[in-house]
């Protein structure tokens, strides 16, 4: 048997779309636009946030507590104008000249009602500014001075594969820095290299500047060039000399030579010899000698030799006097 329910539904839909429904729908659309047009031409009130920014801050002033990011503006006007005003407020930032603030020792303030002229420059003429909050904008500051300071190394590099740093240069080697009155005695801007590994003869990188106290470098980084050399251990046998012995008193030690062991540059390995070192026993230390043995001390060494030790550290000795 045919489904009577389905046939009834088809007849109902046919009457709906084939009869007065399109006319009803058109009437509904026209009514909506008529209502929207009346609404947009009625007067309303709204609030919008307008961004603000401090401009033309002098060099001798450092802002410690800035302005709020925006002010709240109460507006009134027709609906269409208010919608346009809201869009314009999102696109504009009001620049506030620092010179227009009334400054005290460490605080500057300005009434916000005089921002009406700035708002009027981009708001529709039909929109009226009813109020602005907060009623006062203020910021805090401290005085500072500018000084050209050298960039220096702070901390120790970490040697890798026996590479030791020979020199460090910076580009630029000095930077302009703002100093608070309390930090006027700061004489340099440090770069912290503590633990920075060096495992090659040349290393270049951009490094951050580390302010001291309230100093504020104008640039955050500088280029650092690190020059290093690889070291190797070398042993040199050197005769033990007598230091400060009175005339007629002679020293004999057992053994008569000591080994000087240290880290030297690979480029200097073949050049260094016993003539570059001097070890000896100081006469003044004999009275406090450890167990009847004399201490061997290093008296001369070339520049650049690292981690030097003398072996043996103590020797047996014998004093002889002229008859």
């Amino acid at each position: 048997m045919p489904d009577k329910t389905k046939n009834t539904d088809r007849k109902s839909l046919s009457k709906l779309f084939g009869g007065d429904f399109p006319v009803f729908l058109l009437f509904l659309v026209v009514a909506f636009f008529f209502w929207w047009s009346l609404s947009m031409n009625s007067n309303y009130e709204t609030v919008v946030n307008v961004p603000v920014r401090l401009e033309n801050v002098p060099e001798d002033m450092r802002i410690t507590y800035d302005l709020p990011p925006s002010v709240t503006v109460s507006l009134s006007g027709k609906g269409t104008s208010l919608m346009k005003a809201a869009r314009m407020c999102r696109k504009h930032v009001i620049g506030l000249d620092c010179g227009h603030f009334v400054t005290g020792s460490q605080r500057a303030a300005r009434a916000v009602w005089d921002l009406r002229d700035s708002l009027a420059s981009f708001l529709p003429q039909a929109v009226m500014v009813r109020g602005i909050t907060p009623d006062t904008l203020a910021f805090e500051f401290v005085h500072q001075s500018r000084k050209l300071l050298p960039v220096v190394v702070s901390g120790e590099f970490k040697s890798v594969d026996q590479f030791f740093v020979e020199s460090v240069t910076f580009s630029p080697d000095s930077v302009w820095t703002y100093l608070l009155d309390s930090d006027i005695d700061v004489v340099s801007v440090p770069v912290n290299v503590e633990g920075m590994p060096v495992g090659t003869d040349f290393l270049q990188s951009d490094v951050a500047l580390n302010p001291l106290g309230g100093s504020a470098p104008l640039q955050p980084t500088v280029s650092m060039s690190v020059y290093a050399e690889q070291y190797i251990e070398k042993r040199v046998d050197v005769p033990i000399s007598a230091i400060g012995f009175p005339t007629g008193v002679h020293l004999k030690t057992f053994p008569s030579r000591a080994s000087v062991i240290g880290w030297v540059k690979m480029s200097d390995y073949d050049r260094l010899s016993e003539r570059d070192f001097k070890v000896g026993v100081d006469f003044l230390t004999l009275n406090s000698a450890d167990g009847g043995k004399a201490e061997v001390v290093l008296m001369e060494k070339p520049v650049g030799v690292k981690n030097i030790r003398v072996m043996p550290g103590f020797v047996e000795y014998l004093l002889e006097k002229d008859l």
Side-chain angles (χ1 to χ4, degrees):
M1 295 179 63
D3 192 336
K4 295 182 179 180
T5 303
K6 291 183 178 180
N7 291 335
T8 303
D9 291 341
R10 291 193 189 99
K11 291 179 180 179
S12 299
L13 290 174
S14 177
K15 289 182 179 180
L16 181 63
F17 288 100
D20 297 332
F21 180 76
V23 177
F24 171 77
L25 183 61
L26 178 62
F27 173 78
L28 188 63
V29 171
V30 171
F32 171 78
F33 279 103
F34 181 73
W35 168 84
W36 182 84
S37 178
L38 289 177
S39 299
M40 291 298 99
N41 284 283
S42 300
N43 287 325
Y44 294 94
E45 290 189 5
T46 188
V47 293
V48 293
N49 291 324
V50 181
V52 294
R53 178 179 60 217
L54 190 63
E55 295 180 343
N56 300 324
V57 179
E59 286 189 353
D60 64 348
M61 178 183 290
R62 184 185 301 183
I63 307 302
T64 57
Y65 187 83
D66 207 348
L67 299 176
S70 63
V71 294
T72 301
V73 181
S74 300
L75 303 174
S76 65
K78 294 183 178 181
T80 53
S81 298
L82 286 181
M83 291 178 62
K84 183 178 179 180
R87 291 196 302 269
M88 300 303 293
C89 288
R90 287 193 293 267
K91 297 179 180 179
H92 284 79
V93 178
I94 298 179
L96 303 176
D97 194 298
C98 185
H100 295 165
F101 282 73
V102 178
T103 58
S105 59
Q106 292 185 335
R107 187 175 186 272
R110 174 181 176 179
V112 300
W113 191 240
D114 57 7
L115 298 184
R116 287 174 299 172
D117 293 339
S118 299
L119 292 168
S121 65
F122 62 85
L123 288 178
Q125 293 183 355
V127 174
M128 179 179 298
V129 178
R130 311 288 294 183
I132 306 176
T133 56
D135 58 0
T136 302
L137 288 175
F139 64 89
E140 297 178 3
F141 65 93
V142 291
H143 291 287
Q144 61 183 10
S145 57
R146 195 171 77 153
K147 190 175 181 180
L148 185 63
L149 298 178
V151 181
V152 299
V153 171
S154 174
E156 296 289 336
F157 290 95
K158 179 182 178 181
S159 174
V160 178
D161 295 332
Q162 299 169 198
F163 278 92
F164 290 88
V165 174
E166 296 297 311
S167 64
V168 180
T169 61
F170 296 100
S171 179
D173 59 0
S174 300
V175 294
W176 286 103
T177 306
Y178 287 122
L179 299 174
L180 302 181
D181 292 343
S182 58
D183 300 308
I184 199 64
D185 293 333
V186 172
V187 296
S188 62
V189 180
V191 171
N192 183 19
V193 300
E194 185 65 38
M196 182 179 295
V198 176
T200 181
D201 57 356
F202 179 74
L203 175 67
Q204 187 173 40
S205 64
D206 290 335
V207 289
L209 298 174
N210 300 103
L212 289 177
S215 62
L218 266 67
Q219 60 186 79
T221 63
V222 293
S223 176
M224 180 178 68
S225 298
V226 181
Y227 302 87
E229 284 209 41
Q230 194 169 26
Y231 279 64
I232 189 172
E233 188 176 78
K234 182 165 185 171
R235 177 190 294 261
V236 179
D237 289 336
V238 182
I240 300 175
S241 304
I243 308 170
F245 276 69
T247 303
V249 179
H250 305 283
L251 172 71
K252 286 188 176 181
T253 63
F254 307 94
S256 61
R257 301 173 71 89
S259 295
V260 178
I261 305 169
W263 291 96
V264 301
K265 300 175 185 177
M266 293 188 68
S267 57
D268 293 338
Y269 186 85
D270 294 330
R271 183 179 59 82
L272 292 177
S273 66
E274 67 176 65
R275 295 188 302 272
D276 299 305
F277 299 90
K278 185 176 181 180
V279 297
V281 172
D282 191 336
F283 180 77
L284 297 178
T285 64
L286 293 181
N287 291 333
S288 58
D290 184 10
K293 292 185 177 182
E295 182 182 9
V296 182
V297 295
L298 180 68
M299 297 182 291
E300 295 180 7
K301 71 176 185 68
V303 176
V305 180
K306 302 178 182 295
N307 302 332
I308 296 179
R309 62 189 189 275
V310 179
M311 296 181 63
F314 290 87
V315 293
E316 295 180 351
Y317 68 95
L318 179 66
L319 299 181
E320 296 181 346
K321 296 182 180 181
D322 293 339
L323 299 176

